[in-house]
Amino acid sequence: MIWSLDFLLLIFVVVCAVAAITVKDLLSAVFILGAYSFFMALLWAEMGAVDVSFTEASVGAGVSTVFFIAAV
């Protein structure tokens, strides 16, 4: 594992989480949560859990984001 890449992805995940909580616009929050799921998928892939990464990318960043946009 590359520790500097893991740390960089962790920083992106934390920034996306804080931004999703603090933003006022719902559509912006949906896009930020999609980015959060994408960065989590990258983090899972970096740690070697490719099956979890694929599930996070397809469900978290893909389907959930589309459903949230449709709901908003």
Side-chain angles (χ1 to χ4, degrees), residues 14-44:
V14 170
V15 166
C16 284
V18 170
I21 292 172
T22 57
V23 73
K24 299 295 182 191
D25 185 30
L26 289 178
L27 194 59
S28 298
V30 168
F31 285 125
I32 293 170
L33 285 174
Y36 172 86
S37 293
F38 177 71
F39 286 128
M40 279 302 296
L42 289 177
L43 193 58
W44 288 122

Side-chain angles (χ1 to χ4, degrees), residues 2-66:
I2 303 171
W3 295 104
S4 59
L5 181 61
D6 288 343
F7 187 70
L8 183 66
L9 288 173
L10 177 68
I11 294 296
F12 283 148
V13 165
V14 170
V15 166
C16 284
V18 170
I21 292 172
T22 57
V23 73
K24 299 295 182 191
D25 185 30
L26 289 178
L27 194 59
S28 298
V30 168
F31 285 125
I32 293 170
L33 285 174
Y36 172 86
S37 293
F38 177 71
F39 286 128
M40 279 302 296
L42 289 177
L43 193 58
W44 288 122
E46 169 63 27
M47 289 191 288
V50 181
D51 53 343
V52 178
S53 172
F54 181 72
T55 304
E56 180 71 29
S58 62
V59 174
V63 176
S64 295
T65 303
V66 172

